[in-house]
Amino acid sequence: MSLPDQTRQWILTNKPTSVPTLSGPSPTFTLKTTPLPSLGSGYLFLQTIYLSNDPAQRGWISANVDPARLYTTPVPTGSPMFARGICKVLKSGAAEWKEGELVIAMCGWSEYAVLEASKCQKIPSLEGMDGIGVTQFHGALGLTGLTAWYGLREIVKAGPEDAVVVSGAAGATGSMAVQIAKHIIGCKRVVGIAGGEEKCRWVKGHLGADACVDYKSPSFKDALKKETEGFVEVYFDNVGGEILDLMLTRIKRHGRVAACGAVAEYNKDSEQGYGIKNWFEVVSNRIEIRGFIIFDFLAKAEEVTKELVKATREGKIKIDKGNETIVETGFEGVPETWMKLFEGGNRGKLITKIV
């Protein structure tokens, strides 16, 4: 089979100030065809099979973010959208890689890519883990699981004596945080917050949370107060906004907050943002809030991945098709699938399968 000499890519055309625009005269992304470089020594010719969809990507393209304040290099206008993918090696220019192998790489929103082999990651063996697919290395056994572990273990140092609340509990990171808190750390009580009765049933019945509160319910505030009676020691925050503000009133004195994400705020401009109204709770109750980025923890990635695999084999962590949403998508629809992140259209990790 002859290899293509060009590829389609989704290019960042206009940085959004609020919700990304996928059509009209000023779309956020534009589909273009660009030439591919020739395969050199030490490089791999890759075909993108799966794309990881992450809320953090929204921050990488924001028009409102000062690059000096961002934890990584933002996506430049005129460049392909940044993304991690699981790719197939179509041709190898590196001795340690074979054609047909699958790799994890920063391939971006591109159908094909030529990348340095040294910047690609081999997928660990799934031997003895029936029913678990390679896409879990984008989610529960990848950066998502590492993020949950890092936030609970290193940032707030959760222990068996702690009651923990996790927002975004049916999402990729939240669903792992619930399980790690309950089944690995053994926290005395774990409460999830999720959107909709079905997701809440899954968080409680499948993941093992002691309770799950539906933020879409008219009685959400009262229900949260009931489930956090006596207050809690730890809050794992994936959403920011109004839920974070409310949770500041439900945290015990000297409690801790792992500030992991703010998905409720990503598509809002400075005027639309909720803004924290209960900040004095932080002062009055000496609450510790600590933000964190998984990139600071990558040195321990291999060690923690082994721990997560071990916990999965022991049945402490449930990893199956239920904790990921794989959407078969033609390359033309890549941005639409990504936008499901901000519409509550996924349970667990959202994965794009290129078809």
Side-chain angles (χ1 to χ4, degrees), residues 136 170 202 206-207 318-325 347-349:
Q136 297 292 352
W202 182 70
H206 187 72
L207 301 184
K318 291 183 179 180
I319 297 177
D320 51 36
K321 293 181 180 179
N323 76 329
E324 61 181 1
T325 301
R347 189 175 74 183
K349 181 72 178 182

Side-chain angles (χ1 to χ4, degrees), residues 238-258:
N238 287 303
V239 300
E242 187 174 0
I243 292 177
L244 167 60
D245 199 36
L246 178 59
M247 275 304 305
L248 291 178
T249 71
R250 308 308 303 160
I251 298 170
K252 278 186 178 179
R253 190 160 293 165
H254 302 293
R256 295 99 70 201
V257 177

Side-chain angles (χ1 to χ4, degrees), residues 3-6 25 30 61 69 137 151 155 170 172 206 251 274:
L3 299 176
D5 58 6
Q6 57 186 15
T30 303
I61 64 173
R69 302 289 294 169
F137 288 103
I155 299 301
H206 187 72
I251 298 170
Y274 178 78

Side-chain angles (χ1 to χ4, degrees), residues 2-3 64 88 123 136 189 255 268 332 334:
S2 60
L3 299 176
N64 304 321
K88 182 178 180 180
I123 294 177
Q136 297 292 352
R189 182 169 172 80
K268 297 178 180 178
E332 303 84 0
V334 165

